[in-house]
Amino acid sequence: MRILVVGAGATGGAFGTLLQEAGRDVTYLVRPRKQEVLRRDGLRFISPTDDRTHQVQTITATDRPGPFDLILVTVKATALDGVLGEIGAFVGPQTAIVPILNGMAHVDRLEQQYPGQVLGGLARIVATLDGDVVRQQVPLTSLMIGGLNGVTVPAEVSDALDVPGVDFSTADNVTGALWEKWAFIAAAGIVNCLFRAPVGRILDAGGRARILEAITETEAVAAAAGHPVSDAAHTQAVGILTEPGSAFTSSLYRDLTAGLPSEAEHILGDLARRARDLNVPTPLLDLTLIQIRAGLPR
């Protein structure tokens, strides 16, 4: 299959490298500046077990190589608007599109634009972009995909994505899995952004009850939307967000404190809108959004 990876950042660079190393035909859709860097230096991926650099195939939005068989959308939500306006030239009637983003708004928008061609995607990887180098901190690399609205996962898509180095799986209820992850990252975002500290310091300040309230709020929205969080996922969320001495912070908090574009509206704002539509009270979520929005540059 011809695979197009949209974005060569931490997630796209890591999964794209593993696909390429397994012999898959991988091309990256990138900006012109990034294309120049990749053509000159290649794509360097440092994992816990290896450090390698590969020459890669790239295109930009103005190129017209025809449709791809599989498109992995790996950008952050802040770049989604631009992506939606660019990928049309690379989508054919049989193209499968797998977005790997947090939240759910991107799934709805892609499904509206390409009905029946979008699959749910959920990746777990701890990686960052250090300059133009992709660095993976821990050896967790998993990818789960599943059909939406009755669509099944084509066998050729599963075969293409099931490669060494990736814990690959398909799910009958990928929407539920996406909601579980969303509930957790939203709760983590509330906790860190509202109290402006890592988990351990919030606990030391007497914040345990409020942390549990944040988890309850986001899981209540998921349940009201028809996607209740499993007991196992709830237990895991409580364990991560109430671990004494923990230095854990959410990626949303790290982006905000670094002055980077954040996914606050995509993760928290969209959840708050759905909560209002479902008549679910979310006072901590609402307070967090006020703090984030009020602190943004004007």
Side-chain angles (χ1 to χ4, degrees), residues 1 94-96 119 145 147 151-160 168 170:
M1 300 186 78
Q94 303 302 317
T95 301
L119 301 171
I145 66 171
V151 174
T152 59
V153 177
E156 58 268 26
V157 171
S158 294
D159 291 343
F168 175 78
T170 58

Side-chain angles (χ1 to χ4, degrees), residues 5-277:
V5 178
V6 182
T11 300
F15 281 99
T17 295
L18 295 171
L19 289 168
Q20 182 177 340
E21 289 178 343
R24 304 300 189 257
D25 181 357
V26 177
T27 300
Y28 293 89
L29 174 62
V30 293
R31 302 298 181 201
R33 188 207 70 83
K34 185 71 171 181
Q35 185 180 58
E36 291 178 7
V37 172
L38 291 173
R39 284 179 172 174
R40 183 186 69 232
D41 302 330
L43 194 158
R44 185 181 180 190
F45 174 42
I46 302 175
S47 70
T49 59
D50 201 358
D51 179 350
R52 63 276 215 185
T53 301
H54 297 306
Q55 293 301 310
V56 295
Q57 301 179 101
T58 62
I59 59 172
T60 65
T62 59
D63 294 322
R64 292 295 179 265
F68 286 79
D69 301 303
L70 173 61
I71 297 178
L72 301 180
V73 182
T74 68
V75 298
K76 285 195 171 185
T78 50
L80 184 62
D81 285 342
V83 166
L84 290 174
E86 292 174 352
I87 66 171
F90 315 119
V91 178
Q94 303 302 317
T95 301
I97 304 170
V98 180
I100 305 175
L101 290 86
N102 295 319
M104 287 296 294
H106 61 281
V107 174
D108 297 337
R109 295 180 66 184
L110 281 165
E111 181 66 18
Q112 289 172 1
Q113 196 162 324
Y114 303 104
Q117 295 183 248
V118 182
L119 301 171
L122 190 155
R124 288 188 171 90
I125 183 170
V126 182
T128 60
L129 197 61
D130 181 6
D132 289 302
V133 177
V134 177
R135 294 183 182 272
Q136 182 180 2
Q137 280 83 15
V138 297
L140 169 66
T141 310
S142 71
L143 177 63
M144 173 192 295
I145 66 171
L148 302 170
N149 304 317
V151 174
T152 59
V153 177
E156 58 268 26
V157 171
S158 294
D159 291 343
L161 296 176
D162 190 1
V163 299
V166 177
D167 181 10
F168 175 78
S169 63
T170 58
D172 293 332
N173 181 20
V174 72
T175 303
L178 288 167
W179 268 95
E180 280 194 346
K181 183 178 181 183
W182 189 11
F184 169 72
I185 61 174
I190 292 169
V191 168
N192 293 135
C193 296
L194 186 58
F195 300 116
R196 302 184 185 184
V199 161
R201 285 170 49 195
I202 297 169
L203 290 168
D204 291 343
R208 179 183 172 85
R210 296 293 178 260
I211 292 175
L212 296 177
E213 287 175 16
I215 295 171
T216 298
E217 280 188 16
T218 61
E219 291 185 356
V221 181
H227 305 286
V229 171
S230 67
D231 290 342
H234 171 76
T235 300
Q236 184 181 53
V238 172
I240 293 173
L241 296 180
T242 62
E243 181 182 354
S246 172
F248 176 89
T249 57
S250 68
S251 60
L252 173 58
Y253 174 76
R254 295 194 298 271
D255 285 344
L256 286 168
T257 54
L260 300 173
S262 82
E263 297 181 309
E265 292 300 331
H266 187 76
I267 295 173
L268 300 182
D270 186 40
L271 191 67
R273 285 188 288 273
R274 296 182 194 233
R276 288 195 298 270
D277 292 342

